[in-house]
């Protein structure tokens, strides 16, 4: 008796349309992540050091700053100082006043507010007023971002995580490995790019070795230290 070999079932038009739609969604979400990465340094700020700001003011590298938050006589207040460090916008929170319980992690300045303190560093420094930024969002060390950008980034990341958990077995790394990579800034877009076949990348052969969770965890620690 000979064995009968049946050809694989042909893809139905409905399933083909779903696959095409899924690919469009995949590349669209990847494009949204890339756009977010462009917007982070454009709209956000990274925390700086007061000592670095003092040095840059003294050297003339920083000639213009902005101050957020009000100072009123007779109290202890936290204010923000904002400046541009090359292509990166930076900020630092400072505390003026005698109450040591207020914002203990911020450096304290010996002046009646941030503006007099900055005038001590350089009387010719250009000082403007910045809006209060307490209600803004943060993404991987980029602070004071618009809330819509933070919310969109969270929704996209959660959608990628749902695909990782409920989708087909990913390529190039196990689910646990991709999970640890997902927690890093580049993990979600890399998953979209590498975890499924792409027309411009060679597809790993069946049974090829994949990155495992243990090695991915070590990579996660390194990336967390870098970012």
């Amino acid at each position: 008796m000979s064995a009968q070999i049946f050809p694989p079932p042909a893809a139905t038009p409905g399933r083909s349309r779903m696959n095409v739609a899924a690919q469009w969604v995949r590349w669209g979400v990847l494009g949204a992540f890339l756009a977010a990465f462009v917007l982070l340094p454009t709209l956000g700020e990274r925390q700086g050091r007061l000592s670095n700001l003092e040095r840059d003011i003294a050297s003339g590298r920083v000639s213009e700053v902005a101050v957020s938050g009000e100072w009123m006589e007779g109290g202890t207040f936290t204010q923000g100082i904002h400046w541009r460090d090359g292509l990166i916008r930076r900020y630092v929170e400072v505390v003026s006043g005698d109450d040591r319980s207020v914002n203990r992690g911020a450096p304290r300045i010996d002046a009646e507010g941030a503006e007099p303190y900055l005038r001590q560093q350089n009387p010719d420094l250009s000082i403007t007023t910045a809006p209060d930024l307490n209600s803004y969002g943060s993404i991987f060390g980029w602070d004071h971002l618009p809330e819509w950008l933070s919310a969109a980034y969270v929704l996209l990341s959660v959608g990628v995580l749902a695909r990782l958990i409920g989708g087909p077995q990913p390529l190039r790394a196990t689910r646990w490995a991709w999970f640890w990579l997902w927690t890093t800034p580049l993990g979600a877009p890399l998953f979209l790019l590498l975890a499924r076949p792409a027309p411009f990348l060679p597809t790993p052969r069946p049974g090829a070795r994949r990155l495992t969770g243990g090695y991915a965890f070590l990579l996660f620690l390194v990336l967390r230290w870098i970012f």
Side-chain angles (χ1 to χ4, degrees), residues 83-115:
W83 73 99
R84 184 171 289 278
D85 180 13
L87 298 177
I88 299 177
R89 298 165 58 195
R90 295 196 181 274
Y91 78 98
V92 64
E93 290 185 338
V94 296
V95 178
S96 55
D98 299 326
D99 189 349
R100 297 289 172 177
S101 65
V102 175
N103 200 350
R104 295 182 178 179
R108 310 189 77 83
I109 57 175
D110 186 17
E112 295 183 346
E115 185 169 347

Side-chain angles (χ1 to χ4, degrees), residues 144-164:
H144 305 153
L145 293 166
E147 291 183 341
W148 63 264
L149 180 57
S150 300
Y153 193 93
V154 170
L155 288 175
L156 291 173
S157 298
V158 171
V160 171
L161 179 61
R163 179 65 174 175
L164 167 61

Side-chain angles (χ1 to χ4, degrees), residues 107-198:
R108 310 189 77 83
I109 57 175
D110 186 17
E112 295 183 346
E115 185 169 347
Y117 165 78
L118 292 167
R119 293 293 182 201
Q120 293 174 6
Q121 310 301 311
N122 183 354
D124 298 325
L125 190 66
S126 175
I127 303 176
T128 58
T129 301
D132 187 4
L133 302 174
N134 290 333
S135 63
Y136 282 43
S138 177
I139 298 174
F140 290 119
W142 291 97
D143 301 326
H144 305 153
L145 293 166
E147 291 183 341
W148 63 264
L149 180 57
S150 300
Y153 193 93
V154 170
L155 288 175
L156 291 173
S157 298
V158 171
V160 171
L161 179 61
R163 179 65 174 175
L164 167 61
I165 295 173
Q169 278 290 337
L171 301 175
R172 297 181 174 87
T174 64
R175 290 188 198 272
W176 270 112
W178 276 118
F179 170 77
W180 288 117
L181 295 176
W182 173 83
T183 62
T184 67
L186 300 178
L190 283 178
F191 175 83
L192 293 170
L193 180 65
L194 300 176
R196 300 297 301 156

